[in-house]
Amino acid sequence: MKVTPVARVQSEDFDVQLESRALAEGRKDVGALVTFTGLCRDEAGTLSALELEHYPGMAEAELMRIAEQAVQRWPLTGLTVVHRFGKIPPGENIVLVVAASAHRRAAFEAADFLMDYLKTRAPFWKKEHLVDGDSGSWVEAKSGDEDDAARWSS
Amino acid sequence: MNIRYFAWVRERVGLEEETIEVPASVKTVADLIGHLKSLDENHAAAFEEEDAIRVALDQLHVEADAELGDAREAAFFPPMTGG
């Protein structure tokens, strides 16, 4: 049976337990559930918030395209990706991936793939706001992120 | 054509979006960038580091040599930093 992933872009927080349960509750074919949560770091106390800008429409579509690729590549029983936008203080959630499968390898790999592609393909940008009141700089993309994503195309 | 800007490209241009008349000579994304650069100093500054700018036509990633075709929206932004 073809799995339809869930992809959401929202300003409000998400509930990891709730999203995980949605992929496993009442089922007996799920043997592995991998969740990845990306949180906002305080950068040694210097950061007051990260402002996540996104491209409405394209962000949702791109998350769904990435999720569809994962579903075709691995035998998943369910896949959920949630990405927040807006101003996010340290300690709060930014992004969630939940991958469910009969076996662990597929779930781990799908979650890893999703994060690598999301970092390089999904139209989100982070701006730092600093504790000293300065509006800091835009976070620069890391060259390593492209290399990570390239691992999956070989 | 509707043009949208995000993150520091938006800040440098000073606009979130604008509608422009695309001259007939402008056929590709690279041509469009050249045209936008000629508009004023802000556009020129925004596109100074052309290699650092990513493009989407009708919300799909494309390269600079892509034909505009009948795309209705072009968006310009820095490399993504989500996740």
Side-chain angles (χ1 to χ4, degrees):
Chain A
M1 198 183 79
K2 193 184 171 298
V3 169
T4 306
V6 172
R8 295 203 314 269
V9 174
Q10 61 190 44
S11 63
E12 62 271 23
D13 199 7
F14 48 77
D15 182 333
V16 181
Q17 291 298 331
L18 201 73
E19 302 295 346
S20 303
R21 212 181 304 140
L23 293 193
E25 199 162 46
R27 304 183 63 142
K28 293 177 180 171
D29 57 337
V30 179
L33 193 71
V34 168
T35 72
F36 172 83
T37 310
L39 299 97
C40 179
R41 281 189 307 264
D42 72 355
E43 302 293 354
T46 59
L47 194 81
S48 73
L50 272 182
E51 190 168 358
L52 269 288
E53 179 171 334
H54 75 301
Y55 184 171
M58 182 175 174
E60 290 84 347
E62 203 59 45
L63 288 193
M64 190 49 105
R65 275 193 282 271
I66 297 163
E68 290 279 4
Q69 281 181 37
V71 162
Q72 290 188 0
R73 194 159 168 166
W74 287 278
L76 303 178
T77 57
L79 180 62
T80 298
V81 51
V82 184
H83 204 302
R84 293 179 68 195
F85 64 88
K87 227 168 175 181
I88 299 179
E92 276 202 19
N93 297 322
I94 298 176
V95 63
L96 173 71
V97 172
V98 187
S101 181
H103 302 286
R104 73 186 150 87
R105 186 78 64 208
F108 271 123
E109 287 186 359
D112 200 13
F113 164 88
L114 217 71
M115 283 309 302
D116 282 343
Y117 267 69
L118 201 147
K119 277 189 165 287
T120 53
R121 303 286 296 173
F124 291 89
W125 302 274
K126 291 184 181 126
K127 185 173 196 167
E128 295 179 322
H129 290 268
L130 305 179
V131 169
D132 63 16
D134 280 1
S135 161
S137 47
W138 290 93
V139 174
E140 277 194 47
K142 297 185 196 73
S143 58
D145 289 343
E146 287 288 346
D147 297 340
D148 285 343
R151 292 184 298 153
W152 303 102
S153 40
S154 58
Chain B
M1 185 177 212
N2 192 38
I3 314 285
R4 301 181 71 168
Y5 306 104
F6 293 95
W8 58 252
V9 181
R10 169 179 55 75
E11 288 180 341
R12 289 187 197 175
V13 175
L15 291 170
E16 281 179 34
E17 57 186 301
E18 60 186 327
T19 303
I20 62 155
E21 284 293 326
V22 179
S25 61
V26 170
K27 307 248 187 261
T28 66
V29 165
D31 296 342
L32 180 59
I33 291 174
H35 175 66
L36 291 169
K37 277 167 98 165
S38 73
L39 293 181
D40 60 36
E41 279 179 13
N42 288 353
H43 286 81
F47 288 98
E48 209 167 43
E49 302 163 61
E50 223 170 290
D51 292 346
I53 292 182
R54 302 286 177 268
V55 191
L57 284 181
D58 287 340
Q59 306 196 348
L60 284 170
H61 293 281
V62 294
E63 299 296 326
D65 60 0
E67 301 267 341
L68 296 183
D70 45 18
R72 290 192 299 190
E73 182 173 280
F76 297 94
F77 41 75
M80 288 66 76
T81 54

